Amino acid sequence: MRQTAPEGRGPVRYGPPAPEPGLPVLPRLAAVLAAAADRTAPEPPGGGPVLREAAAGYWWRRGLRTHAEDVVAAPGAPPLLLALIAAHGGDLLLPRPCPAWWTPQARLLGRPAYHVPTPAECGGVPDPYALLETIRRVRAEGGHPRLLLLSVADDPTATVAPPEILREACEAAVAEGLHIISDETWRDTLHRPQDTVLLSPAEMCPDDVTVLTDLAGALTPAAWPCAVARFPPAAAARADGYGDPRARTLDILTALGALVPGPFAPAAAHALDEPEDVTVRARLTAHLHGRVAAAAHRAVLAAGALARPPQAGRHLYADLGPLRPGLAARGVTDSLELENHLTARLGTPVPGGHRFGDELGALRVRFDTAAFLGTTVEERTEALTFPRPEELPHVAAALGRFGASLDELAPQQGR
């Protein structure tokens, strides 16, 4: 009998959270939140003018022309994505693998969702030719593909889509009449920003892309729910009717009661304004997790497994297929069993690839790098400011245990 998911890791409500930085809240950000603690009313649907202006400025600095009327805010990315999907209608196309929280939104709405393979170079973006073939097949079967979800800086693969692949995928989708939702939550977590080119689909297809950003990616703590969406810039007079996706999104957020909490709004706006302490913390955090992810990547390869080099985020996506014989000897034959085995072995959640839309039989997992940074605030803070955090004793010890747990699956390939 196939092993069932243990309580705590099977149902959607226990799905893996986004990788966290594992660092204390910035003092000034906490002070802004504390100063607004007496606000008893939530933000209006879609966010108030101060929050939306701050979001517009955030995108202007990244080369995307944006005004406050093009922005919608919500208490976290999941309700905002739910509203965006409902506002646009039609079937969804998703890359395989994709963030664990995407597919449940489509299921909740009863929308068909079709996974498209990603190219060898990266995750987060469908292979352009596979995308066209999937669209053709879905239409032949009576479906109505209308939306493509993608992420240029990807969870779970930690890769950044090359501009040429991204352009081909976006142009293919737009030519087939699809609207694109670009999840850019992780765009500010590049490990080597001077060596990595990241472009937004909204730069390539400005009239056909809605950009989604969860502030917890790089700007605010995960416990402070706030996400923003940038719609294609409005014409001189935006049609304020049910056919306008932004207006429909606002209606849906209102119906859901998905309003940004009043005390969080000033802190979110402060983070979106990107003062020096926020930008320095984001840069140091990206450097920290980049160094640790690179060390974990080396351990994965040394054990004989596979993984694309991590370029962004706080995670590493590994394919342990080459270690299948050693895993089978331990009763591990699919990604659910692999999740259970490694979670118990490492003492930290290690979600399997089935959480991200990969086949159950594929032995893939996501490792979150925060698990290597230490168990106390002091240890993690020390790692944040150390030039080579992977050499700190407590980080090196955690990486050593990680490498040993992989090496034991292939004893003939010991270090």
Side-chain angles (χ1 to χ4, degrees), residues 68-94:
E69 59 267 24
D70 304 321
V71 175
V72 164
L80 185 50
L81 179 61
L82 181 76
L84 290 172
I85 294 172
H88 282 87
D91 302 345
L92 273 67
L93 280 78
L94 317 169

Side-chain angles (χ1 to χ4, degrees), residues 279-304:
T279 57
V280 169
R281 167 61 72 83
R283 184 171 65 251
L284 290 175
T285 302
H287 173 266
L288 166 63
H289 284 275
R291 299 282 305 194
V292 174
H297 180 250
R298 291 192 292 271
V300 167
L301 298 185

Side-chain angles (χ1 to χ4, degrees), residues 13-28:
R13 65 182 182 275
Y14 295 119
E20 295 186 20
L23 298 167
V25 179
L26 284 169
R28 189 175 173 195

Side-chain angles (χ1 to χ4, degrees), residues 90-93 112 114 134-146:
D91 302 345
L92 273 67
L93 280 78
Y114 302 91
T134 302
I135 294 172
R136 184 203 62 78
R137 176 176 55 81
V138 170
R139 286 176 175 158
E141 295 173 355
H144 303 283
R146 294 281 302 279

Side-chain angles (χ1 to χ4, degrees), residues 2 94-98 103 107 113-118 137 156 317-321 324 332-339 351-366:
R2 182 171 298 279
L94 317 169
R96 181 193 298 268
C98 70
T103 307
R107 290 176 179 164
Y114 302 91
H115 286 277
V116 184
T118 54
R137 176 176 55 81
Y317 198 59
D319 183 355
L320 274 57
R324 188 176 293 273
V332 177
T333 61
D334 61 30
S335 65
L336 175 58
E337 293 167 346
L338 181 61
E339 174 183 293
H354 61 287
R355 304 284 188 184
F356 310 102
D358 259 333
E359 297 291 342
L360 183 64
L363 296 175
R364 301 190 181 107
V365 288
R366 188 189 72 187

